[in-house]
Amino acid sequence: MPEIYTDQLLRRLYANDASMYEELPEGVCFPETADDLRALVLDAAARGYSITARAAGTSLAGQTTGGGIIADTSRHMRRILEIDPDRKTATAEPGVIRDSLNREAAKYGLKFGPDTSTTNRCMLGGMIGNNSAGLYSLKYGSVREHIIRVEAVLDDGSLVSFGPLSDEELEAKTRLQTREGHIYREMLRLLESNKEAIIQNYPHPKVVRRNTGYALDRLCEMSPLTPGGRPFNLAELLCGSEGTLALMHAATVRLVEAEPCRVLLIPHFSTLSEAMHATVLAVSHKPAAVELIDDIIIRATEGNIEQQRNRFFLAGDPKCLLIIEFEGHDTEVLLQQAANCAAALQDSGYGYAFPLYADPEKMRRVWDLRKAGLGLLMGLGADASTPTFTEDTAVRVQDLPAYVADFEAMMQRYGTSCVYYAHASVGELHLRPAIDITKAEGVEKMKRMAEDVALLVKKYRGSLSGEHGDGRARAPYIELVLGKEMMPLLEEVKRIWDPENRFNPGKIVQAKPIDSQLRLSFGRALPEAETVFRWQKEGGFAQALQLCNGAGVCRKRAESGGTMCPSYMATLDEKDSTRGRANVFRQLFMAKGTDAFSSAEIRDALRYCLSCKACKSECPANVDMARMKAEFMQGWYDQNGADFAARFWADPHPWLRLGARFPRLSNAIAGSSAGHFVMEKLAGLHPERPLPAFAEKTFGSWVKEHFHRYRRTGQKPDRPPVLLLVDPFTDLHEPEQAIAAVEVLHAAGAQLMLPLIASCGRTQISSGFPREAQRVLRELLRKLEGPVQRGALVVGLEPSELLTLRDELPDLLPAGDPLAATAAALQKQAMLFEEFMTDKFSENEFSRLFNGKDRPVLVHGHCYVKALTGTAALMRCLKQAGYVPSETDSGCCGMAGSFGYRTDTFALSQQIGAQRLFPAVNAVQGKGLICAHGFSCRHQIADGTGRQSLHPAVLLRLALR
């Protein structure tokens, strides 16, 4: 029996999924085996609670919220039990991520065909529960077309295997005097008695994605109900049943051959109607996928750091575009196929631009932008919010132009705009009207519109749900689509399988009203608090609290790549994901107002947040959890005070400057067991983490003795003066990095000013003292005011420090602050060392100055650089200097300032580093070099691998001719 946790924090974490609903469960458990699920079912029967199965929790219609016990299979039930390349099948547990399954299947040239936009975190259990389909359903269909067998626990605790049965095997099943036998007998009786009515009332059989209610129409296609039909298989019924009939503990699915070649054609359109008619024509050219993106999503990518880099293919200002993919074994054949499609579209007068790509990296970036569509919508603000309740309708593809025209007319009647995107090839668009459901009139509009949309779907004999499921959002309207005659049948199916309504009640049948238990609705306003940050981009702290929509991009695993969310990648605990933290933030501030600043639950949820800022770019909604953590911790310290350790890590510089006066003595003390013991007791330093050694001579001392030789010599009058900004850690511990920068800049002919050694408030912000950071930054701005006004470029070596000037600084100064003009100028004049080098010096000048002798360099980018600017400048800088750089997808190094030093987070820090970074570093051989431009990153690499990594300034100095 899995332990059921009932603490408030965990219950809050599981009160939401990716839908608009919020329902606090009684408890949460983490089953590990089929026996655990069986024990849970028996305990539920004895004690009278319900069970809602959950995997990634990315459901858009509320399927994975429930008031009973949430059974999270994602933490432990994630084993791939078998891949049979001969039979082309895979058997896996419900917590296996789709991309993880395909990485294993790819070893045999196979893949699982359904491909949703959430493939890097969605799991097999959820895909079966929703009958997911995704981008390539035109070619591969939905999960239902690939399911072979489902291993499940029934409501009486019996373990049953549902798979294909011959007529003889089916007859034998009906004779069983068990729960399983009862299900077979009653289901056959129901189907035989109502077959004609089901066929008549269910969506048109040519609607590729029909997922409204239970899949009774699919069962009617099987033998013996249809003579000569495919074998009877109740596994197909469980697909799309949303966990309301049984609990799955494993499934066997069919795999398909992976075709190695792909080509993308991306026609641009001036009107939506044009794109819809083009879709019908494009489908006739037998593509693998045809996906629609409209102008609202295209515009949303402008404000998303991650997706700004993926807009390269856009031509002009399209109203919408189609992404058409052709898939096969010969690129040349596919290019001709795409060209024929483009010509047909042009001949019909559809489209004005037709970009064509065969480069794998460019195609990946196009699909990344498309897959980000859902989350991007949440960054549009409350006035443009698009709740998910009509977003999953499907019709026949030939009906799509007329259906969309009718839908547009409906939007005009309601006086609202709508987002149109997704799976045009199979007649399913994710239609998301802009409605503010935090207002009473918005909720009423949503209710009226939901009815009208259901009636419109009925008109075209379409499906209310194509792949996202009925859940809570659409279940109240199934009757309008299927008719009153069908509802008793759906309710009877539920009674046959689950007579006590134990499994995920209120989904598909016996639904609550669409507007019950909304996470954000009128009467539940979030408080505006007096904050340190201004939260300008978000429109206030309250708006920042509700940015997350639960899409769960932060739940991807390390092997999926990217940086967000390093703590979740290590612990696989919802509490340690950006989504989990955002949900706790929103719930508690909504419940307690500004008293939430003293919430131990929020503090506990933030314990393992590394403040890496990956969520600021990789989260489609741009949730900046690092800033939210800093804001919360300031409020916490204001109300509860801060101990010595907290204040030490926030501002260690006075202590470090003292230690740097006597470097040999300080290093000896820090390296001694007694000295380390004192630091353990006073500052919480972990016993196994060495402190950075003090340099024999600081950079400040070197400047006094030697800088006169470099100042204003070799300058070029057409280039602005350069002020090198050196952080205290580089000054005291690694002055060679700054010296190398001076020598390189001097050799390049930069007009050097006297370097400035100063903090940018980074340690204060990351430690939860942003108010103290304001003081530090004001002091810095006063020092920089003159040089900045004279046009000097401020060049920094430490990414986390320098980028504070471009990220947090404008949000920390109050409106009208006298230093605001200087801060604004720094937005353009503050540059990383590598940005300055590549921006101000040509390739020819690099060739004249440097010769890296084609030495390979493994590059680990700093988290802030990856989140805020990208590593392109660093890679270009090293390449132009004659090196052969390769960037490792190493995520966060795990050090994150004080995070890797403290006793309570050291182990997690090492675990994060060991996932990808340490193995990549250890694989560097021979003359290979390692580049890391972050101070913390270099020390994490040294402590974790014993290898030395170099700042790009040092690498450029090594390459000087």
Side-chain angles (χ1 to χ4, degrees):
M1 171 72 188
E3 183 175 356
I4 295 175
Y5 298 90
T6 58
D7 60 277
Q8 279 291 106
L9 175 57
L10 206 56
R11 292 172 64 205
R12 290 187 190 280
L13 288 166
Y14 285 86
N16 303 100
D17 51 14
S19 72
M20 56 187 173
Y21 295 103
E22 182 170 290
E23 186 173 6
L24 200 66
E26 293 179 25
V28 181
C29 68
F30 303 95
E32 299 185 33
T33 64
D35 287 340
D36 277 355
L37 287 174
R38 181 176 183 275
L40 181 66
V41 169
L42 293 174
D43 188 63
R47 295 167 53 192
Y49 59 79
S50 64
I51 302 170
T52 296
R54 175 173 170 137
T58 56
S59 300
L60 289 165
Q63 295 95 311
T64 56
T65 62
I69 302 301
I70 303 292
D72 181 357
T73 59
S74 70
R75 184 176 295 185
H76 301 299
M77 299 186 73
R78 49 193 179 90
R79 292 173 285 267
I80 298 173
L81 303 174
E82 180 188 38
I83 292 181
D84 187 331
D86 296 325
R87 291 188 173 88
K88 296 181 182 177
T89 63
T91 302
E93 293 181 322
V96 170
I97 293 174
R98 187 269 188 184
D99 281 358
S100 300
L101 175 60
N102 273 5
R103 273 188 286 272
E104 290 302 309
K107 297 175 182 178
Y108 307 98
L110 301 171
K111 69 177 183 180
F112 182 51
D115 185 8
T116 67
S117 63
T118 57
T119 54
N120 61 3
R121 70 266 190 200
C122 75
M123 297 171 182
L124 188 60
M127 294 184 78
I128 290 172
N130 279 352
N131 188 38
S132 298
L135 308 177
Y136 299 99
S137 59
L138 178 63
K139 183 170 184 175
Y140 298 116
S142 65
V143 171
R144 194 173 282 136
E145 280 73 57
H146 297 264
I147 196 72
I148 297 174
R149 187 173 300 278
V150 170
E151 314 289 341
V153 182
L154 300 181
D155 71 310
D156 67 343
S158 55
L159 300 173
V160 178
S161 178
F162 293 105
L165 300 173
S166 67
D167 289 354
E168 294 75 16
E169 291 169 326
L170 177 59
E171 176 64 25
K173 289 286 187 184
T174 63
R175 291 196 297 269
L176 294 174
Q177 297 305 306
T178 61
R179 197 87 183 88
E180 180 186 9
H182 169 78
I183 288 171
Y184 277 105
R185 286 191 299 274
E186 292 302 303
M187 286 301 300
L188 281 173
R189 178 192 58 76
L190 180 146
L191 294 168
E192 289 166 350
S193 302
N194 299 279
K195 177 183 174 182
E196 294 307 318
I198 291 169
I199 293 172
Q200 182 179 349
N201 286 279
Y202 263 64
H204 195 289
K206 288 189 177 180
V207 175
V208 177
R209 297 184 178 202
R210 49 191 203 275
N211 215 40
T212 302
Y214 295 117
L216 301 182
D217 58 335
R218 295 298 297 258
L219 296 183
C220 289
E221 299 169 1
M222 300 174 183
S223 179
L225 294 145
T226 296
R230 62 186 180 278
F232 194 82
N233 189 352
L234 286 176
E236 291 194 31
L237 178 70
L238 293 176
C239 286
S241 66
E242 303 178 14
T244 62
L245 303 181
L247 292 184
M248 168 194 146
H249 65 83
T252 300
V253 295
R254 190 173 293 108
L255 303 177
V256 296
E257 289 187 13
E259 295 178 308
C261 302
R262 295 182 177 186
V263 165
L264 285 188
L265 172 68
I266 314 174
H268 293 43
F269 303 95
S270 300
T271 68
L272 179 62
S273 175
E274 187 184 358
M276 294 298 92
H277 286 91
T279 297
V280 179
L281 178 56
V283 167
S284 69
H285 287 262
K286 301 191 183 307
V290 182
E291 294 287 303
L292 176 78
I293 302 179
D294 76 352
D295 56 331
I296 296 178
I297 289 181
I298 292 170
R299 286 197 302 271
T301 63
E302 295 175 353
N304 181 271
I305 298 168
E306 183 80 2
Q307 297 309 321
Q308 284 171 0
R309 307 159 191 165
N310 295 333
R311 291 169 50 89
F312 67 93
F313 63 91
L314 295 174
D317 186 22
K319 172 63 179 176
C320 55
L321 51 84
L322 294 175
I323 303 173
I324 306 174
E325 180 170 303
F326 296 91
E327 187 179 61
H329 293 274
D330 187 325
T331 300
E332 291 304 316
V333 172
L334 298 177
L335 285 169
Q336 186 59 54
Q337 198 175 349
N340 292 342
C341 181
L345 293 174
Q346 286 178 295
D347 290 346
S348 299
Y350 302 144
Y352 69 84
F354 302 85
L356 181 61
Y357 299 100
D359 176 74
E361 175 59 20
K362 288 183 177 179
M363 291 191 291
R364 181 194 65 77
R365 289 167 61 193
V366 172
W367 281 124
D368 281 352
L369 184 142
R370 156 62 189 93
K371 289 185 174 185
L374 168 63
L376 289 172
L377 298 177
M378 283 306 297
L380 301 178
D383 292 340
S385 65
T386 56
T388 53
F389 67 102
T390 66
E391 89 298 342
D392 201 34
T393 61
V395 297
R396 295 184 304 169
V397 68
Q398 58 262 48
D399 292 332
L400 191 59
Y403 173 74
V404 169
D406 283 348
F407 197 94
E408 284 188 294
M410 185 192 302
M411 294 302 100
Q412 291 176 1
R413 292 197 301 273
Y414 277 99
T416 189
S417 61
C418 182
V419 178
Y420 300 82
Y421 76 106
H423 318 299
S425 61
V426 288
E428 176 176 357
L429 293 184
H430 294 331
L431 309 170
R432 298 186 56 162
I435 302 177
D436 184 1
I437 60 172
T438 63
K439 298 176 181 177
E441 57 269 28
V443 173
E444 288 305 311
K445 180 187 285 189
M446 177 179 70
K447 291 163 65 176
R448 295 195 309 272
M449 193 182 293
E451 288 190 13
D452 287 348
V453 169
L455 292 172
L456 181 61
V457 170
K458 175 74 170 179
K459 172 184 173 181
Y460 287 92
R461 204 182 166 191
S463 180
L464 197 57
S465 170
E467 65 172 342
H468 295 166
D470 296 318
R472 297 187 54 175
R474 281 173 282 279
Y477 307 99
I478 293 175
E479 183 174 319
L480 289 177
V481 176
L482 298 186
K484 290 185 177 181
E485 188 179 355
M486 290 297 101
M487 289 312 296
L489 298 186
L490 299 182
E491 291 166 357
E492 187 174 355
V493 170
K494 176 68 170 174
R495 284 194 298 272
I496 289 170
W497 288 74
D498 182 26
E500 298 300 323
N501 202 21
R502 199 75 66 209
F503 296 138
N504 208 13
K507 318 306 190 303
I508 301 181
V509 297
Q510 300 175 357
K512 298 176 183 177
I514 189 175
D515 58 337
S516 66
Q517 297 175 308
L518 296 175
R519 71 159 83 176
L520 292 171
S521 63
F522 67 96
R524 298 189 70 201
L526 283 159
E528 279 298 350
E530 186 176 336
T531 58
V532 182
F533 290 102
R534 292 171 63 191
W535 300 97
Q536 298 173 85
K537 179 184 176 184
E538 295 82 359
F541 184 57
Q543 290 297 318
L545 289 172
Q546 58 183 296
L547 275 179
C548 175
N549 75 329
V553 181
C554 48
R555 282 179 55 98
K556 64 182 185 292
R557 304 278 170 83
E559 58 267 27
S560 292
T563 302
M564 179 180 73
C565 176
S567 55
Y568 177 79
M569 288 178 179
T571 68
L572 302 184
D573 191 331
E574 178 77 14
K575 168 178 68 68
D576 299 320
S577 69
T578 306
R579 178 178 75 176
R581 294 174 181 126
N583 279 336
V584 174
F585 256 105
R586 186 194 64 258
Q587 289 178 41
L588 282 164
F589 273 92
M590 186 173 283
K592 298 184 177 182
T594 55
D595 287 345
F597 278 114
S598 62
S599 167
E601 292 172 70
I602 296 180
R603 192 183 187 202
D604 189 29
L606 291 170
R607 178 185 177 194
Y608 290 145
C609 174
L610 286 84
S611 298
C612 68
K613 284 194 178 291
C615 48
K616 187 178 175 71
S617 63
E618 292 184 34
C619 169
N622 300 140
V623 173
D624 190 345
M625 189 53 62
R627 191 172 301 193
M628 292 176 72
K629 178 181 179 180
E631 189 73 75
F632 171 80
M633 291 307 300
Q634 181 68 75
W636 172 274
Y637 290 134
D638 287 347
Q639 296 189 24
N640 298 279
D643 60 16
F644 174 82
R647 294 195 173 278
F648 171 81
W649 295 116
D651 187 14
H653 306 311
W655 302 92
L656 297 179
R657 284 193 292 270
L658 177 63
R661 294 176 61 185
F662 313 100
R664 293 184 181 179
L665 176 62
S666 298
N667 289 337
I669 293 173
S672 69
S673 56
H676 213 285
F677 178 79
V678 172
M679 284 298 295
E680 291 171 30
K681 296 301 179 184
L682 291 179
L685 177 68
H686 192 276
E688 296 178 32
R689 176 68 78 180
L691 289 167
F694 290 100
E696 284 290 320
K697 182 180 291 187
T698 67
F699 177 67
S701 299
W702 181 90
V703 167
K704 291 177 182 177
E705 295 179 21
H706 302 287
F707 186 72
H708 63 277
R709 303 205 308 263
Y710 300 90
R711 189 172 189 177
R712 298 187 181 279
T713 61
Q715 67 268 27
K716 295 189 176 183
D718 61 330
R719 288 183 175 146
V722 175
L723 187 153
L724 186 66
L725 180 62
V726 178
D727 63 280
F729 295 104
T730 299
D731 172 40
L732 304 178
H733 300 288
E734 295 184 347
E736 65 275 10
Q737 320 287 342
I739 295 169
V742 170
E743 293 177 351
V744 169
L745 292 169
H746 171 70
Q751 184 181 348
L752 288 170
M753 301 175 65
L754 184 69
L756 175 63
I757 300 169
S759 169
C760 296
R762 182 73 259 156
T763 55
Q764 287 87 351
I765 295 171
S766 295
S767 297
F769 294 90
R771 195 177 297 114
E772 180 63 18
Q774 284 180 324
R775 182 193 63 77
V776 172
L777 285 164
R778 280 200 178 91
E779 184 178 323
L780 175 63
L781 287 172
R782 293 187 188 100
K783 294 176 181 178
L784 292 176
E785 192 169 19
V788 167
Q789 287 178 352
R790 294 194 295 273
L793 296 178
V794 178
V795 175
L797 300 177
E798 172 55 38
S800 63
E801 293 275 334
L802 188 283
L803 292 177
T804 300
L805 304 179
R806 282 158 49 174
D807 186 33
E808 287 96 345
L809 173 58
D811 223 28
L812 279 170
L813 291 182
D817 192 286
L819 292 168
T822 303
L826 271 175
Q827 296 292 292
K828 297 180 180 179
Q829 292 171 232
M831 307 179 76
L832 291 168
F833 172 81
E834 56 268 26
E835 289 178 321
F836 173 80
M837 292 301 298
T838 54
D839 185 64
K840 302 303 177 185
F841 301 99
S842 66
E843 286 191 45
N844 288 336
E845 288 174 297
F846 263 86
S847 298
R848 177 180 59 80
L849 288 166
F850 308 106
N851 181 11
K853 301 179 181 178
D854 292 329
R855 291 186 69 179
V857 179
L858 180 77
V859 178
H860 168 70
H862 191 283
C863 287
Y864 286 16
V865 172
K866 288 184 282 195
L868 301 175
T869 68
T871 57
L874 174 59
M875 299 298 288
R876 189 165 63 251
C877 181
L878 295 175
K879 184 177 181 180
Q880 291 179 180
Y883 290 107
V884 182
S886 61
E887 185 174 8
T888 175
D889 185 10
S890 46
C892 178
C893 74
M895 182 68 92
S898 64
F899 187 91
Y901 286 92
R902 300 195 311 268
T903 297
D904 61 332
T905 48
F906 170 80
L908 185 60
S909 165
Q910 292 300 97
Q911 186 180 348
I912 292 168
Q915 285 186 319
R916 286 180 285 168
L917 177 59
F918 296 167
V921 167
N922 287 328
V924 175
Q925 299 178 348
K927 295 182 179 181
L929 299 169
I930 303 161
C931 175
H933 47 182
F935 179 89
S936 290
C937 304
R938 291 191 294 275
H939 283 264
Q940 176 78 324
I941 289 170
D943 295 348
T945 69
R947 305 289 294 272
Q948 181 187 32
S949 54
L950 305 173
H951 190 279
V954 174
L955 285 167
L956 261 60
R957 184 179 63 178
L958 288 174
L960 278 172
R961 293 183 183 272

